Amino acid sequence: MSSDAAKADRIRELMATEGDAVAENTRGFNKGRYDSTSRLDDYEELKGAARDIKEDAIARLPELIEEVKETVEANGGTVYVADDAADANRYITELTADERDADRLVKSKSMTSEEIEVNEALEAEGVEVIETDLGEWVLQLADEAPSHIVAPAIHKSREGIAELFEERFDPDDPPETAEELTMFARARLGELIEDADVGMTGANFIAADSGTMLLVTSEGNARKTVTATDTHVAVAGVEKIVPSVEEFAPFVELIGRSGTGQDVTSYISTLTPTIDSPVPDFQNDDDPLADGSGDDRDFHLVLIDNGRLAMRDDEELKETLYCIRCSACSNSCGNFQSVGGHAFGGETYSGGIATGWEAGIEGLDTAAEFNDLCTGCSRCVPACPVEIDIPWINTVVRDRINRGEADRSQVDWMFEELVPDEEPAGLDIGTRIVGNYETLAKWGSRTAPIANRLADLGPLRALGERVAGIDRRRDLPDFASQSLVDWFGSRGGSAVPTEEASREAVLYPDTATNYVDVERGKAAVRALEALDVHVEIPDLPGSGRPPLSQGMVETAEAKAEDVYAGLARHVDAGSDVVVIEPSDLGMFRREYEKFLPAASHEQLSDASYDVMEYLFGLLDNGGDPAALRAPAEGTGPVASGARVAYHPHCQARTIGVGEHATAVMERLGYDVRVSDTECCGMAGSFGYKHDYYELSMDVGEPIREQFGDTDRTVVAAGTSCTEQIDALLGDAPMHPVQLVAPRE
């Protein structure tokens, strides 16, 4: 079995065995994030402040490392900077097993210790290691890996944990309820902590000026591991250092809200080593806190490099070090909600940000095992409390994987002639075909309807599945025999003369609209002209979204430069740029920042609008709503009534234009119900891939649950959404502009 097929089988298994629990919990966390952050008046300002702190700290990281060494050692502690996992484990095992002759070490709150696999290193030296946080302890008992950054046992059900406890401990009165399970674990762990010799924690943040550590926990076991033992070993990545305690403030506000939807997590602890408090003697009932016992306390801060300083010097991976391990990217991700971190993750880290961590720490081979589960839907971007562009990191790593795996093949000459992109020879055929969808669509339109008939033939679908990985269960789009650009030219251009127009706009002919869904392009023209806009539709290349989705960064950059070259004169002349496909507008506003000079990107971004956003602006500035179609005028499949079910595109949500369609439809008298799901699961080419078809459909299931039996007219803004909802509901929705545009 190929590695891809094995991965697909593993994903199907996880969806069946863990998917329901992961989905319920992550969606609950995600809803909690929306609720909690909505109560923060200064949410965006806090995110900006957190970002600034991390940018500054990573820029100054070498000097902050030296500063924290000085401050901790001045307080009587010890700091060790470990080059890698082996170096860290050598130091910790020598301290624990040799110097302290410890029998048991208790741990709390340390994902970095998972990264270096310190448990295995200690156990090899005869030291028993006990995880004291409930989720970690459950997984330790079950001998399983974490599935989530914040809630490692998120994939385990209450019933499963009860069975595990009964199997491992055979209690007289087996616990069943959540409260009983928690109390049972607390009692067991309390006994284990009492007899421990060494306590180990991580640290969410470390202040360089004082050595103070901030620990944010839900159970308080970090405090127990520190106070109950006379030796405290803190293990943290070097990126956890910030200049001072004052910088903790925005993170305290953000980390709980972002991860689990809590306004403040249960325990916020600040520890400034070393603390000369008494060490409890649990065997001495008369004098359990003897004076002077605190003199024996020992503190060791083990700072881990393990690739981080190299990541700091990598302009594309550096942002990964801003991560505060909150899990918001996981909770907001449709694919993660379906499979969890056992599929969407590497050796240690999971979710969207995991690609950056695993590429920097373990290498590209590890990142390649799950990187393509990031579809670039971008819903993690507004969720991230430090504003990391996680999809871009995933794209860059995908590009590096492509180039590392590229090996000239016998068919390279064909692709170099037919699709002269910027990628190296030997790129995976499926990747190259999908990345050059514009060329395929152009030829499909020129040869329609023959191309459409051939594309539906069973033998060709089977070949496409085998060679390019395009699942035969997906309906392929039908190419239009006349492109939008050609139709517009044949009608003689705009029906609104320049001298009579209120505005002038270029309608961008994105690939899907130009060659496939031409009707939504025609509807956009009618809607704009109804509000006195002079429209132009120049012949322009695709935005570069398909190649970018495949990690073909240089090809996407070349497309961006060509698009800007074609639009610049229109923008310079004062025309607005109106975009129908949200993913293309997302390119203009977000990704083109990576490809164009700053001034050029700003000019194009400021001049570009989603078509429904543009209609909203026209109406808001005096446009006549009566010029558009109200629900009473519609019958049949188009505008069959006032009740509408609307699914905004994921990219539209991210760039803040999804709500404009709702506003326009409601302005015209429609009763709009908006879908709850973050992403429909199609995500461009992702839903076509044979290995991910079932996952794609599972991600879209909430839409079926919400709209499956609705009597409302279903509308969706993106091409991918249209295709997915058609597959889910058996009826293709229309674009909102088709709902409100005047009839032909």
Side-chain angles (χ1 to χ4, degrees):
M1 181 183 294
S2 70
S3 60
D4 287 344
K7 180 165 64 174
D9 285 346
R10 175 63 172 156
I11 286 172
R12 295 184 191 101
E13 176 190 356
L14 290 171
M15 283 194 295
T17 58
E18 300 179 1
D20 289 346
V22 172
E24 180 180 358
N25 286 297
T26 51
R27 288 170 187 163
F29 289 159
N30 199 46
K31 182 181 183 302
R33 173 177 61 85
Y34 280 121
D35 293 343
S36 181
T37 57
S38 70
R39 295 190 288 271
L40 278 177
D41 293 335
D42 57 348
Y43 177 49
E44 294 300 328
E45 289 78 6
L46 281 170
K47 289 167 65 177
R51 168 81 182 202
D52 291 343
I53 291 167
K54 290 297 289 184
E55 280 187 350
D56 173 65
I58 298 304
R60 298 167 49 199
L61 190 53
E63 66 183 79
L64 293 180
I65 293 173
E66 292 303 314
E67 185 178 356
V68 82
K69 287 174 66 176
E70 293 175 5
T71 54
V72 170
E73 289 169 1
N75 287 339
T78 302
V79 176
Y80 185 76
V81 182
D83 292 334
D84 53 26
D87 188 22
N89 288 334
R90 178 193 57 76
Y91 180 86
I92 294 168
T93 54
E94 287 180 0
L95 167 69
T96 305
D98 298 339
E99 295 180 26
R100 293 291 174 178
D101 192 24
D103 293 319
R104 178 182 295 156
L105 177 146
V106 286
K107 281 178 60 192
S108 174
K109 191 63 181 176
S110 182
M111 174 166 283
T112 308
S113 70
E114 291 273 353
E115 175 189 321
I116 64 175
E117 298 182 341
V118 72
N119 289 22
E120 292 81 353
L122 286 167
E123 288 165 355
E125 297 299 320
V127 180
E128 181 187 21
V129 180
I130 301 295
E131 300 285 355
T132 66
D133 295 319
L134 178 58
E136 281 85 349
W137 188 54
V138 166
L139 296 184
Q140 187 178 34
L141 293 174
D143 193 22
E144 293 180 11
S147 181
H148 190 270
I149 288 177
V150 171
I154 197 171
H155 59 288
K156 305 288 283 186
S157 67
R158 176 181 55 79
E159 293 80 7
I161 295 172
E163 290 175 7
L164 175 67
F165 284 0
E166 186 169 3
E167 176 186 329
R168 292 300 301 268
F169 302 111
D170 192 23
D172 294 333
D173 186 15
E176 296 180 354
T177 68
E179 182 179 0
E180 290 171 347
L181 291 168
T182 301
M183 296 306 295
F184 179 86
R186 179 181 296 173
R188 283 277 176 171
L189 289 169
E191 296 170 0
L192 294 168
I193 291 171
E194 286 184 10
D195 292 333
D197 303 299
V198 177
M200 177 180 286
T201 70
N204 292 93
F205 303 95
I206 304 167
D209 66 342
S210 63
T212 301
M213 298 182 301
L214 176 71
L215 288 95
V216 181
T217 67
S218 298
E219 300 168 44
N221 292 323
R223 296 178 182 180
K224 295 179 182 179
T225 64
V226 171
T227 57
T229 59
D230 60 11
T231 302
H232 175 199
V233 181
V235 179
V238 292
E239 84 283 357
K240 298 296 186 70
I241 305 173
V242 297
S244 68
V245 172
E246 284 75 16
E247 274 81 21
F248 291 171
F251 300 109
V252 171
E253 292 279 9
L254 289 168
I255 194 166
R257 287 181 164 91
S258 300
T260 57
Q262 298 169 275
D263 289 355
V264 178
T265 51
S266 302
Y267 297 89
I268 305 291
S269 305
T270 54
L271 306 172
T272 304
T274 58
I275 302 170
D276 295 330
S277 59
V279 178
D281 183 352
F282 295 101
Q283 309 307 318
N284 188 341
D285 293 334
D286 296 330
D287 193 12
L289 298 174
D291 292 340
S293 61
D295 297 340
D296 297 327
R297 284 196 178 276
D298 194 16
F299 173 74
H300 295 258
L301 174 59
V302 182
L303 293 172
I304 310 293
D305 176 1
N306 206 31
R308 287 164 170 80
L309 293 178
M311 292 167 68
R312 174 179 173 269
D313 295 331
D314 186 325
E315 285 302 315
E316 307 294 1
L317 291 185
K318 180 170 66 176
E319 278 197 39
T320 307
L321 299 175
Y322 303 166
C323 171
I324 63 172
R325 314 275 178 80
C326 69
S327 79
C329 59
S330 300
N331 300 335
S332 61
C333 172
N335 281 349
F336 190 95
Q337 290 173 0
S338 285
V339 298
H342 288 156
F344 200 155
E347 295 292 328
T348 305
Y349 300 99
S350 60
I353 196 63
T355 285
W357 281 118
E358 297 290 340
I361 291 168
E362 300 291 343
L364 290 178
D365 288 348
T366 301
E369 294 174 4
F370 63 92
N371 169 261
D372 54 355
L373 285 175
C374 171
T375 65
C377 81
S378 77
R379 295 308 297 137
C380 56
V381 174
C384 178
V386 281
E387 302 176 336
I388 301 173
D389 192 346
I390 295 171
W392 178 252
I393 293 173
N394 281 284
T395 299
V396 168
V397 171
R398 193 168 301 168
D399 181 71
R400 295 179 184 183
I401 293 167
N402 287 344
R403 294 176 183 278
E405 293 179 350
D407 183 19
R408 178 172 288 277
S409 70
Q410 295 180 350
V411 297
D412 278 339
W413 63 269
M414 179 177 67
F415 285 101
E416 288 167 3
E417 291 296 323
L418 295 176
V419 286
D421 55 36
E422 307 297 320
E423 305 308 308
L427 190 67
D428 174 75
I429 292 175
T431 297
R432 197 184 291 274
I433 288 175
V434 173
N436 286 283
Y437 177 69
E438 180 186 359
T439 301
L440 181 66
K442 189 178 298 183
W443 281 102
S445 178
R446 289 174 180 174
T447 58
I450 295 174
N452 295 328
R453 288 200 297 269
L454 290 175
D456 286 334
L457 293 178
L460 288 179
R461 292 305 307 270
L463 179 65
E465 186 172 283
R466 186 168 64 253
V467 174
I470 306 299
D471 196 284
R472 71 182 77 184
R473 288 166 289 186
R474 282 288 184 190
D475 290 333
L476 296 177
D478 286 334
F479 298 112
S481 57
Q482 184 183 40
S483 70
L484 179 67
V485 171
D486 289 343
W487 166 81
F488 190 73
S490 68
R491 88 193 281 259
S494 182
V496 178
T498 303
E499 61 273 13
E500 298 177 11
S502 61
R503 306 281 299 182
E504 296 183 28
V506 172
L507 184 64
Y508 175 67
D510 66 85
T511 300
T513 303
N514 198 25
Y515 298 115
V516 180
D517 198 354
V518 175
E519 292 305 313
R520 70 180 185 180
K522 294 178 181 178
V525 171
R526 296 197 304 274
L528 294 172
E529 290 180 342
L531 295 175
D532 301 322
V533 177
H534 174 79
V535 180
E536 293 186 51
I537 308 182
D539 190 5
L540 294 169
S543 70
R545 174 64 70 185
L548 191 72
S549 73
Q550 304 305 300
M552 298 165 60
V553 174
E554 286 193 19
T555 299
E557 182 173 13
K559 294 286 187 182
E561 293 169 351
D562 290 344
V563 168
Y564 179 75
L567 286 172
R569 68 180 181 87
H570 298 283
V571 175
D572 288 341
S575 291
D576 305 312
V577 178
V578 177
V579 185
I580 297 173
E581 177 60 45
S583 61
D584 291 291
L585 182 62
M587 288 288 286
F588 292 178
R589 291 194 180 175
R590 294 187 64 251
E591 283 85 1
Y592 276 19
E593 183 179 10
K594 313 287 187 183
F595 300 140
L596 300 178
S600 300
H601 170 256
E602 183 177 0
Q603 181 190 37
L604 180 57
S605 178
D606 290 347
S608 300
Y609 303 87
D610 173 75
V611 63
M612 299 305 290
E613 176 190 23
Y614 198 69
L615 293 180
F616 173 83
L618 293 172
L619 294 175
D620 212 40
N621 285 277
D624 184 5
L628 300 177
R629 181 155 22 115
E633 299 177 37
T635 57
V638 178
S640 58
R643 292 159 52 80
V644 172
Y646 167 49
H647 175 67
H649 190 278
C650 49
Q651 297 280 351
R653 291 178 191 256
T654 296
I655 59 177
V657 300
E659 67 273 16
H660 292 100
T662 303
V664 170
M665 289 185 286
E666 289 180 342
R667 178 82 173 267
L668 297 178
Y670 293 94
D671 172 15
V672 184
R673 183 182 180 192
V674 181
S675 75
D676 298 327
T677 190
E678 295 281 0
C679 179
C680 72
M682 190 71 182
S685 63
F686 181 82
Y688 283 106
K689 295 179 180 179
H690 176 64
D691 292 337
Y692 302 129
Y693 171 79
E694 289 90 350
L695 173 56
S696 171
M697 295 297 288
D698 190 70
V699 173
E701 187 61 27
I703 295 178
R704 192 205 308 268
E705 293 172 359
Q706 188 176 5
F707 292 157
D709 59 354
T710 186
D711 60 353
R712 294 170 177 260
T713 300
V714 182
V715 297
T719 302
S720 295
C721 308
T722 300
E723 294 168 347
Q724 180 77 317
I725 292 173
D726 187 11
L728 290 166
L729 306 185
D731 188 20
M734 68 185 78
H735 191 286
V737 77
Q738 292 175 273
L739 185 77
V740 304
R743 292 189 181 279
E744 293 184 78

